[in-house]
Amino acid sequence: MSATVFRVPDTAIQFARVLLTKHHQIDEPATFSMLDREWDLLPGVFAPIFTGASSLFAQWVPYPIGGSFLEVGSGTGLIAVTAALAGCASVTAIDISAEAVRNTARNAHRHGVADRVRTLVSDVFDALPGERFDMIFWNSNFIEVPADFACTTPLERSVFDPDYATHRRYLAQAGDHLRPGGRLLLGFSSMGSLDRLAGLASELGLRVGVLTRQVKFVPDRVEYLVLELVAAE
């Protein structure tokens, strides 16, 4: 695909640092309003209120109604719970952070879909051997940093991806977890490296397509995108 997305690489890390500072100020359980619902937020969990991404992605993802949905990096559970409310028969929500998994479970209970939302601690697909889904989605940690960049907390790992190692794992391993005809989606941003992502996809026999995109100001101009990865022709 053509990498014509508006990018702000010079400010991406600065934006992330400000974002992390805001998260560190959350030191006790709280609630927030989004998508006409109330949600629980636990300390140390990525908070959708600080960016425009999660609410957009939750509305843009073409959920497999009646099918199975896997969210990688579920955070508060906003998207996983929305998937269940939209009509997915089963939802699996995974996150590397135990607090995020607990947060997702709380919101599944809050919104009456705990019977359809399974929550697991997992580093990408590690906890899902042999399992397959109709759709996999990840709102990725799209800010690329050097390979030797040290992410010391789950929150830092939710925004930074050293050398795009996690993106490579996601693209390389997701095919083993898709049912025939299943779809692989990625939430991304112009603060990420679309060129690097497209290169990784190409190496793995995949092609990147854009399903939906929109510019937001948070406070700088940022374009958010839902991408679909398909087999290259």
Side-chain angles (χ1 to χ4, degrees), residues 8 30 45 49 52 67 88 92 94 102 109 112 114 116 121 129 134 146 167-168 170 183 215 217 228:
V8 286
V45 177
I49 55 176
C88 291
T92 298
I94 61 176
R102 189 160 72 91
H109 282 284
R116 281 174 283 154
V121 176
D134 294 306
H167 284 79
R168 177 180 286 277
Y170 182 76
R183 302 176 70 181
V215 172
F217 292 84
E228 182 164 11

PDB file of all heavy atoms in Angstrom, residues 8 30 45 49 52 67 88 92 94 102 109 112 114 116 121 129 134 146 167-168 170 183 215 217 228:
ATOM      1  N   VAL A   8       3.800  12.162  12.491  1.00  0.00           N
ATOM      2  CA  VAL A   8       4.412  13.139  13.383  1.00  0.00           C
ATOM      3  C   VAL A   8       5.543  12.460  14.160  1.00  0.00           C
ATOM      4  O   VAL A   8       5.536  12.426  15.380  1.00  0.00           O
ATOM      5  CB  VAL A   8       3.375  13.763  14.349  1.00  0.00           C
ATOM      6  CG1 VAL A   8       2.481  14.736  13.623  1.00  0.00           C
ATOM      7  CG2 VAL A   8       2.504  12.669  14.995  1.00  0.00           C
ATOM      8  N   ALA A  30     -11.231   4.198  39.208  1.00  0.00           N
ATOM      9  CA  ALA A  30     -12.067   5.311  38.776  1.00  0.00           C
ATOM     10  C   ALA A  30     -13.065   4.794  37.742  1.00  0.00           C
ATOM     11  O   ALA A  30     -13.072   3.612  37.386  1.00  0.00           O
ATOM     12  CB  ALA A  30     -11.199   6.414  38.175  1.00  0.00           C
ATOM     13  N   VAL A  45      -3.571   0.691  34.118  1.00  0.00           N
ATOM     14  CA  VAL A  45      -4.173   0.166  32.896  1.00  0.00           C
ATOM     15  C   VAL A  45      -4.324   1.296  31.885  1.00  0.00           C
ATOM     16  O   VAL A  45      -4.689   2.422  32.257  1.00  0.00           O
ATOM     17  CB  VAL A  45      -5.545  -0.481  33.186  1.00  0.00           C
ATOM     18  CG1 VAL A  45      -6.208  -0.962  31.900  1.00  0.00           C
ATOM     19  CG2 VAL A  45      -5.378  -1.632  34.173  1.00  0.00           C
ATOM     20  N   ILE A  49      -9.483   7.377  27.789  1.00  0.00           N
ATOM     21  CA  ILE A  49      -9.893   8.779  27.858  1.00  0.00           C
ATOM     22  C   ILE A  49      -8.815   9.743  27.397  1.00  0.00           C
ATOM     23  O   ILE A  49      -9.109  10.906  27.106  1.00  0.00           O
ATOM     24  CB  ILE A  49     -10.316   9.150  29.301  1.00  0.00           C
ATOM     25  CG1 ILE A  49      -9.200   8.818  30.286  1.00  0.00           C
ATOM     26  CG2 ILE A  49     -11.613   8.469  29.671  1.00  0.00           C
ATOM     27  CD1 ILE A  49      -9.471   9.227  31.712  1.00  0.00           C
ATOM     28  N   GLY A  52      -7.828   9.621  21.230  1.00  0.00           N
ATOM     29  CA  GLY A  52      -9.045   9.395  20.462  1.00  0.00           C
ATOM     30  C   GLY A  52      -9.141   8.009  19.873  1.00  0.00           C
ATOM     31  O   GLY A  52     -10.134   7.681  19.203  1.00  0.00           O
ATOM     32  N   GLY A  67     -20.091 -14.728  15.630  1.00  0.00           N
ATOM     33  CA  GLY A  67     -18.836 -15.454  15.552  1.00  0.00           C
ATOM     34  C   GLY A  67     -17.948 -15.218  16.754  1.00  0.00           C
ATOM     35  O   GLY A  67     -18.382 -14.699  17.791  1.00  0.00           O
ATOM     36  N   CYS A  88     -21.243 -10.594  19.095  1.00  0.00           N
ATOM     37  CA  CYS A  88     -20.309 -11.716  18.942  1.00  0.00           C
ATOM     38  C   CYS A  88     -20.706 -12.829  19.900  1.00  0.00           C
ATOM     39  O   CYS A  88     -21.015 -12.572  21.074  1.00  0.00           O
ATOM     40  CB  CYS A  88     -18.878 -11.274  19.222  1.00  0.00           C
ATOM     41  SG  CYS A  88     -18.198 -10.153  17.980  1.00  0.00           S
ATOM     42  N   THR A  92     -12.747 -13.402  23.358  1.00  0.00           N
ATOM     43  CA  THR A  92     -11.586 -13.674  24.197  1.00  0.00           C
ATOM     44  C   THR A  92     -10.765 -12.399  24.258  1.00  0.00           C
ATOM     45  O   THR A  92     -10.444 -11.810  23.224  1.00  0.00           O
ATOM     46  CB  THR A  92     -10.734 -14.824  23.637  1.00  0.00           C
ATOM     47  OG1 THR A  92     -11.533 -16.014  23.612  1.00  0.00           O
ATOM     48  CG2 THR A  92      -9.508 -15.057  24.504  1.00  0.00           C
ATOM     49  N   ILE A  94      -7.277 -10.757  25.778  1.00  0.00           N
ATOM     50  CA  ILE A  94      -5.990 -11.073  26.389  1.00  0.00           C
ATOM     51  C   ILE A  94      -5.163  -9.809  26.563  1.00  0.00           C
ATOM     52  O   ILE A  94      -5.303  -8.847  25.819  1.00  0.00           O
ATOM     53  CB  ILE A  94      -5.200 -12.109  25.567  1.00  0.00           C
ATOM     54  CG1 ILE A  94      -4.897 -11.583  24.161  1.00  0.00           C
ATOM     55  CG2 ILE A  94      -5.954 -13.426  25.511  1.00  0.00           C
ATOM     56  CD1 ILE A  94      -4.036 -12.516  23.327  1.00  0.00           C
ATOM     57  N   ARG A 102      -7.874  -8.034  34.703  1.00  0.00           N
ATOM     58  CA  ARG A 102      -8.866  -7.853  35.777  1.00  0.00           C
ATOM     59  C   ARG A 102      -9.830  -6.715  35.438  1.00  0.00           C
ATOM     60  O   ARG A 102     -11.036  -6.811  35.691  1.00  0.00           O
ATOM     61  CB  ARG A 102      -8.143  -7.575  37.105  1.00  0.00           C
ATOM     62  CG  ARG A 102      -9.061  -7.598  38.314  1.00  0.00           C
ATOM     63  CD  ARG A 102      -8.271  -7.801  39.585  1.00  0.00           C
ATOM     64  NE  ARG A 102      -7.504  -6.644  39.978  1.00  0.00           N
ATOM     65  CZ  ARG A 102      -7.960  -5.682  40.788  1.00  0.00           C
ATOM     66  NH1 ARG A 102      -9.181  -5.777  41.307  1.00  0.00           N
ATOM     67  NH2 ARG A 102      -7.197  -4.670  41.116  1.00  0.00           N
ATOM     68  N   HIS A 109     -18.466  -7.784  33.494  1.00  0.00           N
ATOM     69  CA  HIS A 109     -19.509  -7.948  34.511  1.00  0.00           C
ATOM     70  C   HIS A 109     -20.397  -6.713  34.570  1.00  0.00           C
ATOM     71  O   HIS A 109     -21.635  -6.827  34.649  1.00  0.00           O
ATOM     72  CB  HIS A 109     -18.882  -8.214  35.875  1.00  0.00           C
ATOM     73  CG  HIS A 109     -18.396  -9.620  36.065  1.00  0.00           C
ATOM     74  ND1 HIS A 109     -19.234 -10.682  36.312  1.00  0.00           N
ATOM     75  CD2 HIS A 109     -17.139 -10.143  36.022  1.00  0.00           C
ATOM     76  CE1 HIS A 109     -18.545 -11.793  36.432  1.00  0.00           C
ATOM     77  NE2 HIS A 109     -17.256 -11.496  36.250  1.00  0.00           N
ATOM     78  N   GLY A 112     -22.879  -6.846  31.743  1.00  0.00           N
ATOM     79  CA  GLY A 112     -23.713  -8.031  31.611  1.00  0.00           C
ATOM     80  C   GLY A 112     -23.304  -9.008  30.525  1.00  0.00           C
ATOM     81  O   GLY A 112     -24.147  -9.775  30.032  1.00  0.00           O
ATOM     82  N   ALA A 114     -20.355 -11.043  30.888  1.00  0.00           N
ATOM     83  CA  ALA A 114     -19.290 -11.889  31.432  1.00  0.00           C
ATOM     84  C   ALA A 114     -19.408 -13.324  30.947  1.00  0.00           C
ATOM     85  O   ALA A 114     -18.400 -14.050  30.895  1.00  0.00           O
ATOM     86  CB  ALA A 114     -19.315 -11.840  32.955  1.00  0.00           C
ATOM     87  N   ARG A 116     -19.939 -14.194  27.967  1.00  0.00           N
ATOM     88  CA  ARG A 116     -19.421 -14.273  26.598  1.00  0.00           C
ATOM     89  C   ARG A 116     -18.009 -13.729  26.461  1.00  0.00           C
ATOM     90  O   ARG A 116     -17.425 -13.798  25.381  1.00  0.00           O
ATOM     91  CB  ARG A 116     -20.344 -13.512  25.647  1.00  0.00           C
ATOM     92  CG  ARG A 116     -21.582 -14.278  25.255  1.00  0.00           C
ATOM     93  CD  ARG A 116     -22.511 -13.418  24.434  1.00  0.00           C
ATOM     94  NE  ARG A 116     -23.240 -12.484  25.275  1.00  0.00           N
ATOM     95  CZ  ARG A 116     -23.724 -11.312  24.852  1.00  0.00           C
ATOM     96  NH1 ARG A 116     -23.487 -10.927  23.620  1.00  0.00           N
ATOM     97  NH2 ARG A 116     -24.405 -10.535  25.673  1.00  0.00           N
ATOM     98  N   VAL A 121      -4.441 -13.665  30.863  1.00  0.00           N
ATOM     99  CA  VAL A 121      -3.125 -13.032  30.781  1.00  0.00           C
ATOM    100  C   VAL A 121      -2.337 -13.757  29.692  1.00  0.00           C
ATOM    101  O   VAL A 121      -2.215 -14.985  29.713  1.00  0.00           O
ATOM    102  CB  VAL A 121      -2.375 -13.112  32.124  1.00  0.00           C
ATOM    103  CG1 VAL A 121      -0.971 -12.543  31.983  1.00  0.00           C
ATOM    104  CG2 VAL A 121      -3.147 -12.352  33.205  1.00  0.00           C
ATOM    105  N   PRO A 129      -2.738 -21.741  22.643  1.00  0.00           N
ATOM    106  CA  PRO A 129      -2.245 -22.759  21.711  1.00  0.00           C
ATOM    107  C   PRO A 129      -3.401 -23.483  21.016  1.00  0.00           C
ATOM    108  O   PRO A 129      -4.310 -23.999  21.664  1.00  0.00           O
ATOM    109  CB  PRO A 129      -1.441 -23.708  22.609  1.00  0.00           C
ATOM    110  CG  PRO A 129      -2.013 -23.510  23.979  1.00  0.00           C
ATOM    111  CD  PRO A 129      -2.392 -22.065  24.047  1.00  0.00           C
ATOM    112  N   ASP A 134     -12.737 -16.028  14.442  1.00  0.00           N
ATOM    113  CA  ASP A 134     -13.233 -15.426  13.204  1.00  0.00           C
ATOM    114  C   ASP A 134     -12.606 -14.063  12.946  1.00  0.00           C
ATOM    115  O   ASP A 134     -12.503 -13.641  11.796  1.00  0.00           O
ATOM    116  CB  ASP A 134     -14.757 -15.279  13.264  1.00  0.00           C
ATOM    117  CG  ASP A 134     -15.454 -16.631  13.286  1.00  0.00           C
ATOM    118  OD1 ASP A 134     -15.184 -17.449  12.383  1.00  0.00           O
ATOM    119  OD2 ASP A 134     -16.255 -16.876  14.199  1.00  0.00           O
ATOM    120  N   PRO A 146      13.976   2.272  19.412  1.00  0.00           N
ATOM    121  CA  PRO A 146      15.085   1.362  19.120  1.00  0.00           C
ATOM    122  C   PRO A 146      15.006   0.051  19.904  1.00  0.00           C
ATOM    123  O   PRO A 146      14.362  -0.026  20.954  1.00  0.00           O
ATOM    124  CB  PRO A 146      16.318   2.176  19.528  1.00  0.00           C
ATOM    125  CG  PRO A 146      15.883   3.602  19.444  1.00  0.00           C
ATOM    126  CD  PRO A 146      14.444   3.602  19.850  1.00  0.00           C
ATOM    127  N   HIS A 167       4.918  -6.214  16.887  1.00  0.00           N
ATOM    128  CA  HIS A 167       4.192  -6.194  15.616  1.00  0.00           C
ATOM    129  C   HIS A 167       4.596  -7.376  14.738  1.00  0.00           C
ATOM    130  O   HIS A 167       3.743  -8.011  14.108  1.00  0.00           O
ATOM    131  CB  HIS A 167       4.443  -4.871  14.886  1.00  0.00           C
ATOM    132  CG  HIS A 167       3.683  -3.711  15.451  1.00  0.00           C
ATOM    133  ND1 HIS A 167       4.082  -3.050  16.595  1.00  0.00           N
ATOM    134  CD2 HIS A 167       2.547  -3.111  15.033  1.00  0.00           C
ATOM    135  CE1 HIS A 167       3.216  -2.079  16.855  1.00  0.00           C
ATOM    136  NE2 HIS A 167       2.270  -2.101  15.927  1.00  0.00           N
ATOM    137  N   ARG A 168       5.885  -7.685  14.708  1.00  0.00           N
ATOM    138  CA  ARG A 168       6.333  -8.819  13.908  1.00  0.00           C
ATOM    139  C   ARG A 168       5.705 -10.117  14.431  1.00  0.00           C
ATOM    140  O   ARG A 168       5.240 -10.956  13.652  1.00  0.00           O
ATOM    141  CB  ARG A 168       7.862  -8.926  13.933  1.00  0.00           C
ATOM    142  CG  ARG A 168       8.401 -10.140  13.165  1.00  0.00           C
ATOM    143  CD  ARG A 168       9.909 -10.216  13.216  1.00  0.00           C
ATOM    144  NE  ARG A 168      10.517  -9.210  12.358  1.00  0.00           N
ATOM    145  CZ  ARG A 168      10.695  -9.354  11.048  1.00  0.00           C
ATOM    146  NH1 ARG A 168      10.297 -10.458  10.443  1.00  0.00           N
ATOM    147  NH2 ARG A 168      11.270  -8.399  10.351  1.00  0.00           N
ATOM    148  N   TYR A 170       2.931 -10.477  16.086  1.00  0.00           N
ATOM    149  CA  TYR A 170       1.490 -10.452  15.797  1.00  0.00           C
ATOM    150  C   TYR A 170       1.232 -10.886  14.359  1.00  0.00           C
ATOM    151  O   TYR A 170       0.392 -11.752  14.096  1.00  0.00           O
ATOM    152  CB  TYR A 170       0.966  -9.050  16.052  1.00  0.00           C
ATOM    153  CG  TYR A 170      -0.528  -8.876  15.835  1.00  0.00           C
ATOM    154  CD1 TYR A 170      -1.437  -9.347  16.771  1.00  0.00           C
ATOM    155  CD2 TYR A 170      -1.022  -8.207  14.714  1.00  0.00           C
ATOM    156  CE1 TYR A 170      -2.801  -9.172  16.590  1.00  0.00           C
ATOM    157  CE2 TYR A 170      -2.374  -8.021  14.523  1.00  0.00           C
ATOM    158  CZ  TYR A 170      -3.263  -8.504  15.466  1.00  0.00           C
ATOM    159  OH  TYR A 170      -4.617  -8.335  15.277  1.00  0.00           O
ATOM    160  N   ARG A 183     -10.508 -12.851   9.758  1.00  0.00           N
ATOM    161  CA  ARG A 183      -9.942 -11.545   9.411  1.00  0.00           C
ATOM    162  C   ARG A 183      -8.985 -11.074  10.504  1.00  0.00           C
ATOM    163  O   ARG A 183      -9.263 -11.230  11.704  1.00  0.00           O
ATOM    164  CB  ARG A 183     -11.056 -10.509   9.206  1.00  0.00           C
ATOM    165  CG  ARG A 183     -12.044 -10.904   8.141  1.00  0.00           C
ATOM    166  CD  ARG A 183     -13.177  -9.906   8.022  1.00  0.00           C
ATOM    167  NE  ARG A 183     -12.716  -8.640   7.457  1.00  0.00           N
ATOM    168  CZ  ARG A 183     -13.523  -7.588   7.265  1.00  0.00           C
ATOM    169  NH1 ARG A 183     -14.815  -7.650   7.615  1.00  0.00           N
ATOM    170  NH2 ARG A 183     -13.050  -6.464   6.740  1.00  0.00           N
ATOM    171  N   VAL A 215      -8.699  11.784  11.027  1.00  0.00           N
ATOM    172  CA  VAL A 215      -7.764  12.682  11.701  1.00  0.00           C
ATOM    173  C   VAL A 215      -8.414  13.236  12.960  1.00  0.00           C
ATOM    174  O   VAL A 215      -9.577  13.638  12.953  1.00  0.00           O
ATOM    175  CB  VAL A 215      -7.346  13.837  10.768  1.00  0.00           C
ATOM    176  CG1 VAL A 215      -6.538  14.885  11.536  1.00  0.00           C
ATOM    177  CG2 VAL A 215      -6.534  13.303   9.595  1.00  0.00           C
ATOM    178  N   PHE A 217      -7.292  15.658  16.681  1.00  0.00           N
ATOM    179  CA  PHE A 217      -6.315  16.588  17.246  1.00  0.00           C
ATOM    180  C   PHE A 217      -6.227  16.314  18.743  1.00  0.00           C
ATOM    181  O   PHE A 217      -7.158  16.590  19.494  1.00  0.00           O
ATOM    182  CB  PHE A 217      -6.721  18.034  16.961  1.00  0.00           C
ATOM    183  CG  PHE A 217      -6.622  18.377  15.512  1.00  0.00           C
ATOM    184  CD1 PHE A 217      -7.654  18.092  14.634  1.00  0.00           C
ATOM    185  CD2 PHE A 217      -5.468  18.971  14.998  1.00  0.00           C
ATOM    186  CE1 PHE A 217      -7.558  18.398  13.277  1.00  0.00           C
ATOM    187  CE2 PHE A 217      -5.354  19.272  13.645  1.00  0.00           C
ATOM    188  CZ  PHE A 217      -6.405  18.987  12.785  1.00  0.00           C
ATOM    189  N   GLU A 228      -6.349  -3.779   7.809  1.00  0.00           N
ATOM    190  CA  GLU A 228      -6.604  -5.210   7.664  1.00  0.00           C
ATOM    191  C   GLU A 228      -5.409  -5.844   6.960  1.00  0.00           C
ATOM    192  O   GLU A 228      -4.923  -5.334   5.947  1.00  0.00           O
ATOM    193  CB  GLU A 228      -7.873  -5.502   6.889  1.00  0.00           C
ATOM    194  CG  GLU A 228      -8.170  -6.985   6.790  1.00  0.00           C
ATOM    195  CD  GLU A 228      -9.582  -7.327   6.365  1.00  0.00           C
ATOM    196  OE1 GLU A 228     -10.303  -6.405   5.930  1.00  0.00           O
ATOM    197  OE2 GLU A 228      -9.975  -8.505   6.486  1.00  0.00           O
TER     198      GLU A 228
END
